[in-house]
Amino acid sequence: MAQLYVTDHQARIGVDNGRIKVEYVDGLLRTLPIESVEGITIMGNAQVTTNCIGECLRRGIHIQYYSSKGLYYGKLSSTQHVNTKRQRAQITLTEDKEFSLALAKIILKAKINNQIVLLRRYRKKTNIEAEEQIRLMKILHYKVDKATTIAEATGYEGSAARAYFKGLNLVVNVPGFNFTGRNRKPPRDRFNSMLSLGYALVMNDVYGAIEGRGLNPYFGFIHQDKEKHPTLASDLMEEWRAVIVDSVVMSLINGHEIAAKNFYFDEETKGVFFDKKGLKIFLTKIEKRLNTSTKYLSYLDYSVSFRKGIDMQALQLCKAIEEKSPELYQPVLIR
């Protein structure tokens, strides 16, 4: 199953005889079986018919809304998967400091590991030295494991992230895509523009997987007590950042699949955003990545798509919560 992206502002999305229809202002009509659609992502002002909304809610198909610049607005989703018993257990454990810290260490160490692996890959491909950053990240990985509070663990992880992005900047080998670190709201360079949209898109997959498994996306273990933010989705997103989004961004840049001219500077917001062609290139690439099969889940002896892997990780968390054992959560570790 895949995500349907609609970026044309005047498009109209409907449903007819079991098929999703996207009608464009130039008369072009695109249809696909509704069974093949996991979610609909609208970027801009496309319209969705009431019948289509109702059918999507009935089938558990999420509809996500973004601005044309990639700013996330919100989503429509069904409540059919709510599991109050599971959510009570989840919320109770968010107050358990021992459980939360143990889970935080598992996820944050996996995140740093995956960042190190990705940085090593591009160091080898480009023959550019990034050993200083990798060495520091290894030290911080060890410190996360020895942390006694979540604040301490996230502090070390934040330092590792700064070293990581410094290293990634070194191995970017295409002019116009270098950057000085992570920035957002708005992104101020092309690299961060891709990261911001990629993280937002994958976050929605994580959010949907959490909801689908009956958990509450707004009660997290690592990211706690942040108003109007799905903190549990942020938790489970961490181990996927380098694996899905960062790898896509680096592949697009160093593989010369996207060009500096595919972005523009917005005078009003002072941000850098995709043009129409760049957005299409990026969405195609990240959707392909999400549907690529992988064996990164250690508890499975068969391949699953990255999108299915996100769902399986949500299920792993359910088991850890139900058994009150954070060790049951096995993170995604790339090699």
Side-chain angles (χ1 to χ4, degrees), residues 243-267:
V243 179
I244 298 175
V245 181
D246 302 358
S247 63
V248 163
V249 171
M250 290 299 297
S251 177
L252 283 169
I253 296 171
N254 283 11
H256 300 276
E257 297 177 53
I258 199 165
K261 66 181 180 181
N262 296 134
F263 299 82
Y264 69 93
F265 177 76
D266 183 68
E267 288 286 352

Side-chain angles (χ1 to χ4, degrees), residues 163-325:
Y164 167 67
F165 285 117
K166 185 176 181 180
L168 276 190
N169 181 52
L170 293 174
V171 297
V172 169
N173 63 8
V174 179
F177 285 97
N178 291 101
F179 60 103
T180 58
R182 183 75 179 107
N183 60 72
R184 52 195 178 276
K185 296 183 180 180
R188 297 189 295 275
D189 55 70
R190 298 176 182 92
F191 194 96
N192 276 285
S193 184
M194 288 189 280
L195 287 185
S196 291
L197 180 56
Y199 291 157
L201 293 171
V202 176
M203 175 78 83
N204 262 306
D205 272 72
V206 175
Y207 188 114
I210 290 169
E211 275 195 331
R213 293 298 179 177
L215 296 173
N216 190 313
Y218 289 86
F219 288 88
F221 297 93
I222 305 172
H223 306 85
Q224 298 181 338
D225 302 327
K226 190 172 182 181
E227 191 72 17
K228 299 180 181 180
H229 181 78
T231 50
L232 184 62
S234 286
D235 290 354
L236 296 193
M237 174 72 182
E238 295 292 13
E239 63 194 34
W240 294 107
R241 290 179 184 270
V243 179
I244 298 175
V245 181
D246 302 358
S247 63
V248 163
V249 171
M250 290 299 297
S251 177
L252 283 169
I253 296 171
N254 283 11
H256 300 276
E257 297 177 53
I258 199 165
K261 66 181 180 181
N262 296 134
F263 299 82
Y264 69 93
F265 177 76
D266 183 68
E267 288 286 352
E268 181 180 354
T269 63
K270 307 302 180 185
V272 176
F273 303 100
F274 291 97
D275 68 5
K276 188 173 182 179
K277 182 178 179 181
L279 180 59
K280 182 179 180 180
I281 291 170
F282 184 79
L283 293 178
T284 300
K285 184 78 171 184
I286 201 159
E287 185 65 13
K288 181 179 179 180
R289 178 68 169 174
L290 284 163
N291 289 307
T292 298
S293 294
T294 175
K295 287 188 176 181
Y296 286 150
L297 301 184
S298 60
Y299 50 87
L300 298 180
D301 58 3
Y302 54 89
S303 298
V304 296
S305 70
F306 282 100
R307 180 165 274 136
K308 180 61 177 177
I310 290 171
D311 177 63
M312 295 299 294
Q313 289 301 92
L315 180 59
Q316 283 282 301
L317 181 60
C318 290
K319 293 177 181 178
I321 289 171
E322 289 168 351
E323 297 296 328
K324 299 180 180 180
S325 176

